[in-house]
Amino acid sequence: GWKDAINTTIINFNNENMQITWAAREFFPNENVSFSYTFDEGKHKVWKTCTTYLLDQDYNSGCLFKTEGPTLAISIRNSNGSEELFSKKLKSDFYIKPNRPENVTFFWKEDTVTISCNKPERAVRCLRLELQYKSKFDKDWQSRTSRCCSVGEQGFDPRKCYSFRVRLRRLVPYCNVVNYSSDWEAETFWMNGTLLDSCDEDIPSQSNTVMVLSFSLAVLLMMFILLILLCKCQRVQLSVMPTIPDPKCLFADLFNDHNGNFQEWLDKTDHVVLQTKLEYEEPEPITEAESRQEVGKNSDKQGPLEKIFTFSGTAENNEHKAAQTSCLIPASNTMASFAGFHILMNDDMYVTL
């Protein structure tokens, strides 16, 4: 019974070559066993000795030989072959490991990709084509399985680069007792239907895009900060060094109509200034008798109407009136006289004669 407990690994490579291994150091310590096999059925079997051994620390631990039929019998004996240490009969077809898929093609249509390969010559109904893919942003592979030998999947983002790999699998338990799959076909890289050498190719372009955007944002931020600083500097400059008003704004008619001829301007504007002063003149207190006299004069319609103006002779009234008419003649601390005409001036005004 202990003979049946020996663990062996049996692989039938695409129904072409057999590989059988055992744990030599565990089950046969310090003994170099021999291996023989036969594909014959019935009583008259012809046993063949292994010609290609697999070694484990110089001890025989497996055998490679050609597949010659669906039924296989194996035997493990001691070094001189006098005692059988292990034997087993099996169906070699239940241990098939398929070869890699051949001539793999990719067909892209918008966000859908279809992968196909050549059909193997044997046992196509027992095979399934497995597809695995992932983008560079995914940690794990996504798997899809379909009947041999075509598999399709949709939902691919054209802006992402994807890695693809395919392999063939044997159905368990209908065709195999062990879940064997072929080795993976060479990994390929695709982006929007274009074959690439690697998904690392689009990393520099994305890095450049990020750098350009970052630089643009930095420039905009610097411009905004400079604009704020410029506004603050202008405010500081105005508070420290106030601007001198242009006399052309205060005496526009002097420069525009009289070409800066001050005497001519005085002659033309004398009555205007006088009338402006009179309009802003505060009326002096009128007594009751004067009021009655004024009413009597108004009732008399025979003589021409005359307008009586009164002037205040005090300096305080003049300063008060000048303050009221500041929109025309600015308030000042200095009185300038030209040709008998008085002009109030402030510190920011100047007149060229």
Side-chain angles (χ1 to χ4, degrees), residues 22-26 28-33 53-62:
W22 56 87
R25 303 295 299 168
E26 178 181 356
F28 312 113
N30 303 323
E31 185 173 1
N32 209 357
V33 297
Y53 280 101
L54 302 177
L55 302 179
D56 179 14
Q57 297 182 5
D58 297 331
Y59 287 91
N60 296 337
S61 60

Side-chain angles (χ1 to χ4, degrees), residues 157-175:
D157 190 343
R159 297 169 297 179
K160 294 182 179 180
C161 179
Y162 291 89
S163 304
F164 290 91
R165 62 182 185 181
V166 292
R167 67 179 179 181
L168 291 173
R169 295 176 54 184
R170 288 274 293 187
L171 287 178
V172 178
Y174 306 104
C175 299

Side-chain angles (χ1 to χ4, degrees), residues 94-195:
F94 287 169
Y95 297 88
I96 293 179
K97 178 179 181 178
N99 288 340
R100 293 178 179 178
E102 298 179 354
N103 193 23
V104 179
T105 58
F106 289 78
F107 176 74
W108 287 82
K109 185 177 181 181
E110 297 179 353
D111 66 338
T112 303
V113 60
T114 303
I115 297 94
S116 59
C117 66
N118 293 345
K119 290 185 178 181
E121 297 178 357
R122 305 175 185 175
V124 177
R125 61 180 181 84
C126 289
L127 296 175
R128 294 293 181 267
L129 182 62
E130 181 181 5
L131 165 68
Q132 286 191 349
Y133 63 91
K134 68 175 180 179
S135 70
K136 64 178 184 180
F137 304 103
D138 300 326
K139 294 182 179 180
D140 301 323
W141 290 93
Q142 304 292 326
S143 297
R144 294 292 182 271
T145 304
S146 181
R147 297 180 61 180
C148 188
C149 291
S150 179
V151 59
E153 183 62 14
Q154 61 182 4
F156 292 99
D157 190 343
R159 297 169 297 179
K160 294 182 179 180
C161 179
Y162 291 89
S163 304
F164 290 91
R165 62 182 185 181
V166 292
R167 67 179 179 181
L168 291 173
R169 295 176 54 184
R170 288 274 293 187
L171 287 178
V172 178
Y174 306 104
C175 299
N176 262 32
V177 295
V178 182
N179 189 11
Y180 282 148
S181 301
S182 70
D183 295 334
W184 290 105
E185 179 62 10
E187 188 174 347
T188 56
F189 306 94
W190 295 81
M191 183 176 181
N192 196 20
T194 303
L195 180 63

Side-chain angles (χ1 to χ4, degrees), residues 19 29 31 49 52 77 81 95 98 156 169 171 198 220 227 250 269-270 294 317 337:
Q19 174 183 290
E31 185 173 1
T49 303
T52 307
R77 296 176 173 270
Y95 297 88
F156 292 99
R169 295 176 54 184
L171 287 178
S198 172
L220 292 176
L227 184 60
L250 299 175
T269 60
D270 186 18
E294 184 69 16
N317 290 336
S337 299

Side-chain angles (χ1 to χ4, degrees), residues 42-323:
K43 296 181 179 180
H44 304 285
K45 299 179 181 180
V46 178
W47 291 87
K48 297 181 179 180
T49 303
C50 180
T51 56
T52 307
Y53 280 101
L54 302 177
L55 302 179
D56 179 14
Q57 297 182 5
D58 297 331
Y59 287 91
N60 296 337
S61 60
C63 181
L64 289 174
F65 53 95
K66 187 177 180 179
T67 303
E68 299 176 359
T71 304
L72 174 64
I74 61 175
S75 176
I76 299 177
R77 296 176 173 270
N78 57 6
S79 56
N80 57 17
S82 60
E83 179 183 2
E84 187 176 64
L85 304 177
F86 174 77
S87 62
K88 186 175 183 178
K89 294 181 180 181
L90 53 97
K91 291 288 186 179
S92 61
D93 293 344
F94 287 169
Y95 297 88
I96 293 179
K97 178 179 181 178
N99 288 340
R100 293 178 179 178
E102 298 179 354
N103 193 23
V104 179
T105 58
F106 289 78
F107 176 74
W108 287 82
K109 185 177 181 181
E110 297 179 353
D111 66 338
T112 303
V113 60
T114 303
I115 297 94
S116 59
C117 66
N118 293 345
K119 290 185 178 181
E121 297 178 357
R122 305 175 185 175
V124 177
R125 61 180 181 84
C126 289
L127 296 175
R128 294 293 181 267
L129 182 62
E130 181 181 5
L131 165 68
Q132 286 191 349
Y133 63 91
K134 68 175 180 179
S135 70
K136 64 178 184 180
F137 304 103
D138 300 326
K139 294 182 179 180
D140 301 323
W141 290 93
Q142 304 292 326
S143 297
R144 294 292 182 271
T145 304
S146 181
R147 297 180 61 180
C148 188
C149 291
S150 179
V151 59
E153 183 62 14
Q154 61 182 4
F156 292 99
D157 190 343
R159 297 169 297 179
K160 294 182 179 180
C161 179
Y162 291 89
S163 304
F164 290 91
R165 62 182 185 181
V166 292
R167 67 179 179 181
L168 291 173
R169 295 176 54 184
R170 288 274 293 187
L171 287 178
V172 178
Y174 306 104
C175 299
N176 262 32
V177 295
V178 182
N179 189 11
Y180 282 148
S181 301
S182 70
D183 295 334
W184 290 105
E185 179 62 10
E187 188 174 347
T188 56
F189 306 94
W190 295 81
M191 183 176 181
N192 196 20
T194 303
L195 180 63
L196 304 176
D197 294 333
S198 172
C199 278
D200 296 333
E201 292 182 358
D202 63 332
I203 293 179
S205 60
Q206 291 189 357
S207 300
N208 292 336
T209 303
V210 172
M211 291 179 62
V212 170
L213 291 177
S214 301
F215 180 76
S216 302
L217 291 176
V219 170
L220 292 176
L221 181 61
M222 289 296 297
M223 291 178 63
F224 181 72
I225 294 175
L226 290 176
L227 184 60
I228 294 176
L229 293 177
L230 181 60
C231 294
K232 289 187 176 181
C233 289
Q234 288 181 349
R235 292 181 181 178
V236 173
Q237 184 179 1
L238 288 176
S239 62
V240 176
M241 301 176 61
T243 57
I244 300 175
D246 190 350
K248 290 184 179 180
C249 298
L250 299 175
F251 302 97
D253 53 349
L254 171 62
F255 293 96
N256 295 336
D257 300 337
H258 304 284
N259 239 359
N261 190 328
F262 188 74
Q263 185 62 42
E264 181 183 346
W265 175 75
L266 286 178
D267 296 339
K268 296 291 183 179
T269 60
D270 186 18
H271 68 283
V272 177
V273 176
L274 180 59
Q275 183 179 357
T276 304
K277 287 185 178 182
L278 293 176
E279 289 178 356
Y280 283 90
E281 183 74 25
E282 292 184 357
E284 294 183 355
I286 302 175
T287 63
E288 184 177 354
E290 291 174 346
S291 177
R292 290 177 182 177
Q293 185 181 0
E294 184 69 16
V295 172
K297 290 181 180 181
N298 291 336
S299 62
D300 188 7
K301 300 181 179 178
Q302 293 179 359
L305 296 176
E306 294 179 359
K307 190 172 183 181
I308 299 175
F309 299 94
T310 59
F311 297 88
S312 175
T314 62
E316 293 179 0
N317 290 336
N318 288 336
E319 292 178 0
H320 181 67
K321 296 167 189 176

